[in-house]
Amino acid sequence: MEELEILRKRLLYQSQHRGMREMDWILGGFAQKYIEVMSREELQQFEALLTFPDQDIYEWFFEKIPVPRNAPESLVLRIQQDIKCINSDLMLQSAVLRSGFSVSLGVFK
């Protein structure tokens, strides 16, 4: 197996098994979407991010505390954007469901 492929598999696993369920969802979901297209440098940044405690990362993502200088800030910002897109999609789905339109069935109630 190629070195980058092994790194991707390891980082995917580590991002999905953090110890804090919310971080499993956020980091694991992000990794599932993007890990296959990340460059070596981006993978190294992701690996560095995973060394920080979950609570700190969570607070960075939701802007409760500033991102320290020794953290991969550009990656944190990218994941924050991904979270915002997911939240927007969920809010839109919720609004559609509240309006009486069933998305899964495609029919009006």
Side-chain angles (χ1 to χ4, degrees), residues 45-60:
Q45 289 178 358
F46 194 60
E47 183 174 36
L49 179 66
L50 296 180
T51 65
F52 289 92
D54 284 347
Q55 189 61 43
D56 291 350
I57 299 170
Y58 182 86
E59 291 181 358
W60 301 339

Side-chain angles (χ1 to χ4, degrees), residues 1 11 16 21 29 46-47 49 52 68 72 75 79 81 91:
M1 207 180 293
L11 293 177
Q16 294 173 328
R21 187 168 293 174
F46 194 60
E47 183 174 36
L49 179 66
F52 289 92
L75 181 59
I79 296 172
Q81 286 300 99
M91 288 177 16

Side-chain angles (χ1 to χ4, degrees), residues 28-53:
F30 181 83
Q32 281 183 316
K33 280 200 272 187
Y34 300 110
I35 200 114
E36 290 300 322
V37 297
M38 292 172 105
S39 68
R40 180 181 297 274
E41 181 182 336
E42 290 169 326
L43 290 169
Q44 290 170 339
Q45 289 178 358
F46 194 60
E47 183 174 36
L49 179 66
L50 296 180
T51 65
F52 289 92

